[in-house]
Amino acid sequence: MTDETQWLAQRFEDHRAHLTAVAYRMLGSASEADDAVQQAWLRLDRADTMGVRNLRNWLTAVVAHICLDILRARKARREDPVGALPADLPAVPADTIDPEQEAVMADSVGLALLVVLDTLTPAERLTFVLHDLFDLPFAELAPILGRTPAAAAQLAARARRRVRGTSIADADRSVADERAVVDAFLMAARAGDFDALIAVLDPNVELHADGVAVPSGQPVRMHGARRVTTSALMFSSRAPYTRPALIDGHVGLVVAPNGILDCLLAFTITDNHITTIDIIADPQRLATISLTVPDTTQPPRPEA
């Protein structure tokens, strides 16, 4: 590595935390954010930056371009981060998962805010994140979108109204309440604790599983806390490979042995008890679901 490249790499490292924060708020996935930041380094390494006065803003624009392309491609394919699960989820064995760090990245932003941001168009999300969260001037933001500063300001205002129209405080409370119930279910399943599972289930809970999720290939429906608890205890062997996720905006569980998506558990929660469990493994159904999985792995930082 030449002295010039080393100097440039150090300048890039000085801004890495900021760029990662921007990318994470744009994409909702720490793994995708790391990939976007690394792509920004590759572009910087190939670019002529002699005329760049503000490297931080230049790099922010590059990361924003990359994230915007990812968001637009995701939108065009009607695809959410489901397709990125193998990269996002920790691999087995289970002792590689640190439960205490399970939602650190998502909690730093707020699960509710990520849910609200997912309701915005890619352009609205970019303007809101870069201007309202990171103070990038509209004059520098506009070229990323191919619009005038005035048009970018209008996009930001529209995004701001939509974000404020959804009460983030209320959403935070709802998500936190759901998370507590789902965490209790998962802990009880991992421990094989029959009584703890009964306590978190409504007495009239229903469980639905599609045919792909069942060895017989036939959909299953069962009713009643004791029957569902017995089924949940059979699930305990897969619990180490399970983690919380937002499924269509509500807290559920993702099951992914070896980092490969197996199925989702979607819950209906009423009065802090689970009233319905839907086990979804059919790929066609999975493709229609909006899924956000907090990335809690801490892979080695890529070398610049």
Side-chain angles (χ1 to χ4, degrees):
M1 184 180 291
T2 66
D3 290 343
E4 181 180 352
T5 303
Q6 287 181 330
W7 177 83
L8 197 60
Q10 184 55 57
R11 296 280 310 274
F12 183 82
E13 287 300 319
D14 292 342
H15 299 298
R16 182 184 286 274
H18 163 75
L19 299 174
T20 301
V22 170
Y24 183 71
R25 284 156 179 81
M26 286 289 296
L27 300 172
S29 163
S31 290
E32 286 185 319
D34 284 343
D35 289 343
V37 170
Q38 188 62 12
Q39 286 185 52
W41 159 251
L42 296 174
R43 295 190 187 186
L44 174 64
D45 191 36
R46 295 193 298 263
D48 180 2
T49 58
M50 291 296 293
V52 175
R53 295 183 179 181
N54 187 326
L55 184 62
R56 178 188 175 96
N57 282 5
W58 186 90
L59 287 168
T60 299
V62 171
V63 167
H65 269 297
I66 294 167
C67 292
L68 190 58
D69 288 343
I70 293 171
L71 288 173
R72 284 171 173 164
R74 189 186 291 172
K75 193 86 171 178
R77 295 192 305 267
R78 298 182 59 84
E79 201 171 274
D80 283 280
V82 171
L85 278 173
D88 284 349
L89 290 172
V92 293
D95 59 12
T96 64
I97 304 172
D98 181 357
E100 294 183 0
Q101 297 299 320
E102 206 162 55
V104 169
M105 285 297 290
D107 288 345
S108 70
V109 179
L111 282 172
L113 179 57
L114 288 178
V115 172
V116 174
L117 290 179
D118 276 341
T119 68
L120 305 180
T121 67
E124 288 172 343
R125 184 163 180 160
L126 183 142
T127 54
F128 181 82
V129 168
L130 293 187
H131 182 268
D132 285 39
L133 301 186
F134 291 98
D135 298 320
L136 191 70
F138 287 123
E140 297 184 31
L141 193 159
I144 302 172
L145 294 166
R147 306 191 185 198
T148 65
Q154 289 179 344
L155 271 176
R158 188 165 67 206
R160 201 175 300 120
R161 287 194 299 270
R162 292 180 66 182
V163 168
R164 290 174 179 171
T166 302
S167 171
I168 293 177
D170 289 345
D172 272 328
R173 283 193 293 273
S174 175
V175 168
D177 291 344
E178 291 179 357
R179 178 67 186 265
V181 174
V182 172
D183 281 348
F185 175 88
L186 182 56
M187 289 176 62
R190 283 175 172 164
D193 190 330
F194 185 92
D195 291 336
L197 280 168
I198 285 284
V200 80
L201 297 176
D202 183 90
N204 296 311
V205 62
E206 292 187 2
L207 183 146
H208 312 143
D210 65 36
V212 180
V214 180
S216 68
Q218 298 298 317
V220 168
R221 298 176 68 93
M222 63 179 62
H223 177 271
R226 290 194 170 274
R227 289 190 67 196
V228 171
T229 296
T230 301
S231 179
L233 288 174
M234 295 174 63
F235 161 80
S236 63
S237 63
R238 301 161 78 188
Y241 318 132
T242 304
R243 63 185 295 184
L246 283 177
I247 300 171
D248 286 336
H250 295 280
V251 181
L253 295 173
V254 169
V255 183
N258 295 307
I260 299 173
L261 178 61
D262 183 37
C263 66
L264 306 179
L265 276 71
F267 299 96
T268 303
I269 298 172
T270 306
D271 296 330
N272 294 321
H273 287 84
I274 296 170
T275 56
T276 306
I277 303 173
D278 286 298
I279 304 178
I280 304 167
D282 186 334
Q284 291 185 344
R285 292 186 66 194
L286 292 175
T288 68
I289 292 172
S290 171
L291 177 66
T292 302
V293 182
D295 188 345
T296 61
T297 60
Q298 297 295 329
R301 291 169 64 177
E303 295 183 2

